[in-house]
Amino acid sequence: MKQQKRITFNSKFGLVMASVGSAVGLGNIWRFPCEAGEHGGGAFLIVYVFCVMILGLSVMLAEFFLGRASQKDAVGTFKVLAPGTMWKITGYNGVLAAFLIFGFYSVVSGWTLEYIYQSATGNLNVSSVEEFTGNFEKFTADAFRPVVWIFIFTLITHIVVMSGVKKGIERTSKLMMPLLFVILIILCVRSLMLPNAIEGVKFFFKPDFSKITSDVVLSALGQAFFSVSVGMACMITYASYFNKSINMPNTAISVVTLDTLVAILAGVVIFPAVTSFNISPSQGPALVFITLPNIFQQMPFGNLWSLIFFVLLAIAALTSIISLHEVVTAYLHEQYKLSRNKATAIVSLCGFAVGVVCSLSFGVLSHFKIFGIIIFDLLDFVTANLMLPLGGMFICIFVGWFINKKVLKDELTNNGTIKFRLFCIFVVVIRYVAPIIIALICIKKLGLF
Ligand code: PHE
């Protein structure tokens, strides 16, 4: 049978932007500052950088290997590289995780659109934090409004993914990611000019090592995986569109570095703003949707700053959700031979349905709890704390132990044409370090010890 030539990204810049687009998301701008704020600022940052640079990077490179070597979707990868084995379950785990994350991610993405709308129409003007909180809770519990925003967000995602890898994903990422960096830098400068900004910077960068507990390490690792989009086949799917001359180790380093840079810059935007207005930085998820807009309102041109900030958040969310969509779309398209349009439509419709259920779990379905938590939190917990780390662990074990070392080295060095000096260290990490640490974390998270 003649094999069809696989579509590839057009340029190196395009594929780096697409991968960075997947990695940089709500995780960097929403989740990271919350986690850092709750876990002692600078101390968390150091542990996080360590986790992301050693483990996140290695798992990403392992995924790049799988995708480019097999040129297949998440499940197809395992069918090609380990035919007739159970390894394909790792692929199914990835596809399912992507689909479930898509569901709850679309809810928060929808919120960003509401806040863009509110800032643009000047409706964020309220006088007290209580009023902000009340408005936020009323909005998220509403049965209709958030669903409309989820619909719009899913529709935009649908159009991008349907337009294909080059014309949709690559083009959008090439446009959006540089814009995201520009916005982020503008916001950093603004934030650093606030009175007392230095206190926030200190909180964020000055490590208090007494705060490093096992809990901090666990949160940092979970955050690292979520943030660089590994453990669930996203990077496998994207790497299957890399052409054979791409230097994968360098690409992985660029993606992880840029992702970490965005998380740090987001901290530089948020913490000075928070301390400048005398608010505690350990606020949890309310930080971005309640505290920040409230702070912006107290600055001159408050609505404008809110608008810019939520556009930033929406862009970050869009390029990530596109990658989640693509994982499932590629799977349906390749494994069931559906046309790309049909596969995209199915994912959009089903994803929208999950999104609606998640959104309703803040309102009419809030009494419906599984293991004592609402559906939104359940999906967040199960994907981020179980499916992603376990997926990452099995990906490492597979690549580390079941792939012939020469095959691995040849693929990662483009048949010896590029240098990869840290290859031995990489192998040690994916064989031993990553699986052991991840296993410990899962056990701990599940409260088994
Ligand atoms: N990395 C994204 C973020 O930081 C989330 C994500 C996870 C996207 C897994 C794709 C796959 O928000």
Side-chain angles (χ1 to χ4, degrees):
M1 197 177 72
K2 198 170 152 261
Q3 228 199 340
Q4 241 190 350
K5 201 170 173 296
R6 192 161 183 86
I7 356 157
T8 53
F9 287 113
N10 260 334
S11 63
K12 179 161 190 266
F13 178 69
L15 74 89
V16 172
M17 287 301 112
S19 312
V20 174
S22 168
V24 170
L26 299 171
N28 301 61
I29 301 166
W30 179 47
R31 212 161 176 252
F32 178 78
C34 294
E35 294 272 325
E38 280 174 11
H39 294 109
F44 180 85
L45 182 62
I46 291 184
V47 182
Y48 175 81
V49 169
F50 178 80
C51 288
V52 89
M53 286 300 170
I54 308 280
L55 301 176
L57 183 64
S58 304
V59 183
M60 182 177 290
L61 198 50
E63 290 199 16
F64 277 180
F65 161 78
L66 291 173
R68 202 183 64 173
S70 68
Q71 309 261 295
K72 287 276 181 289
D73 65 284
V75 173
T77 291
F78 292 95
K79 288 190 179 168
V80 167
L81 298 176
T85 64
M86 300 290 268
W87 280 107
K88 55 180 176 290
I89 296 177
T90 310
Y92 288 122
N93 173 68
V95 174
L96 184 64
F99 179 68
L100 297 177
I101 299 178
F102 183 97
F104 73 82
Y105 214 84
S106 69
V107 177
V108 185
S109 309
W111 296 351
T112 64
L113 295 185
E114 164 78 12
Y115 276 71
I116 290 177
Y117 173 76
Q118 297 279 353
S119 327
T121 51
N123 279 338
L124 276 182
N125 276 327
V126 287
S127 50
S128 65
V129 176
E130 289 72 36
E131 212 179 330
F132 255 107
T133 314
N135 285 353
F136 176 70
E137 282 171 0
K138 203 165 123 224
F139 162 68
T140 52
D142 193 81
F144 184 67
R145 227 181 141 87
V147 171
V148 173
W149 291 122
I150 297 174
F151 179 79
I152 295 174
F153 212 92
T154 309
L155 188 67
I156 300 172
T157 312
H158 176 82
I159 294 170
V160 174
V161 177
M162 206 180 62
S163 309
V165 174
K166 290 181 208 258
K167 288 209 181 112
I169 300 175
E170 182 171 359
R171 222 170 39 190
T172 311
S173 312
K174 268 164 58 177
L175 203 78
M176 295 289 175
M177 294 323 287
L179 182 63
L180 178 136
F181 273 95
V182 172
I183 297 182
L184 201 53
I185 288 168
I186 295 175
L187 285 171
C188 275
V189 173
R190 177 69 190 99
S191 205
L192 288 173
M193 277 163 35
L194 289 169
N196 218 9
I198 191 71
E199 284 310 311
V201 176
K202 265 196 208 146
F203 171 80
F204 188 39
F205 287 109
K206 212 172 117 200
D208 173 359
F209 288 106
S210 68
K211 291 242 169 81
I212 301 187
T213 61
S214 66
D215 206 40
V216 171
V217 179
L218 301 185
S219 308
L221 194 94
Q223 173 61 22
F225 269 46
F226 187 84
S227 187
V228 293
S229 305
V230 294
M232 45 136 307
C234 230
M235 293 300 168
I236 297 181
T237 308
Y238 271 17
S240 74
Y241 307 129
F242 288 4
N243 78 40
K244 289 283 182 190
S245 63
I246 289 299
N247 182 330
M248 293 198 288
N250 280 356
T251 304
I253 292 174
S254 312
V255 175
V256 171
T257 310
L258 287 172
D259 181 73
T260 308
L261 185 68
V262 171
I264 292 176
L265 290 179
V268 173
V269 172
I270 290 170
F271 290 112
V274 168
T275 49
S276 171
F277 286 88
N278 245 335
I279 292 171
S280 153
S282 47
Q283 297 262 312
L287 188 67
V288 164
F289 286 100
I290 297 174
T291 316
L292 275 185
N294 186 30
I295 291 173
F296 289 135
Q297 286 311 314
Q298 298 172 41
M299 299 177 186
F301 308 110
N303 279 323
L304 179 66
W305 294 113
S306 289
L307 181 70
I308 296 178
F309 178 77
F310 286 107
V311 167
L312 170 82
L313 209 54
I315 292 177
L318 178 67
T319 48
S320 292
I321 211 164
I322 289 171
S323 70
L324 293 162
H325 197 304
E326 178 63 24
V327 170
V328 192
T329 301
Y331 161 70
L332 292 180
H333 173 52
E334 290 170 33
Q335 296 299 314
Y336 297 95
K337 308 278 174 275
L338 299 180
S339 71
R340 198 172 157 97
N341 284 356
K342 216 185 223 170
T344 315
I346 293 175
V347 180
S348 300
L349 282 174
C350 299
F352 175 64
V354 179
V356 172
V357 174
C358 285
S359 178
L360 294 182
S361 74
F362 287 99
V364 287
L365 293 180
S366 61
H367 57 276
F368 181 74
K369 292 189 172 154
I370 304 175
F371 304 121
I373 48 177
I374 60 169
I375 300 169
F376 179 98
D377 292 338
L378 181 76
L379 290 193
D380 182 9
F381 181 86
V382 170
T383 51
N385 293 325
L386 282 176
M387 298 176 85
L388 243 106
L390 284 180
M393 182 170 92
F394 283 113
I395 285 168
C396 287
I397 294 176
F398 180 67
V399 176
W401 294 92
F402 290 87
I403 295 289
N404 179 304
K405 233 169 138 181
K406 175 156 178 357
V407 172
L408 182 62
K409 189 161 186 182
D410 283 348
E411 186 70 41
L412 291 178
T413 58
N414 300 351
N415 291 321
T417 54
I418 54 168
K419 285 213 165 58
F420 179 24
R421 289 203 186 81
L422 301 177
F423 180 74
C424 294
I425 299 181
F426 166 69
V427 172
V428 171
V429 174
I430 58 169
R431 277 195 167 185
Y432 306 99
V433 183
I436 293 173
I437 296 186
I438 298 168
L440 287 178
I441 285 170
C442 288
I443 294 171
K444 169 89 186 179
K445 278 261 181 191
L446 287 177
L448 296 181
F449 76 84

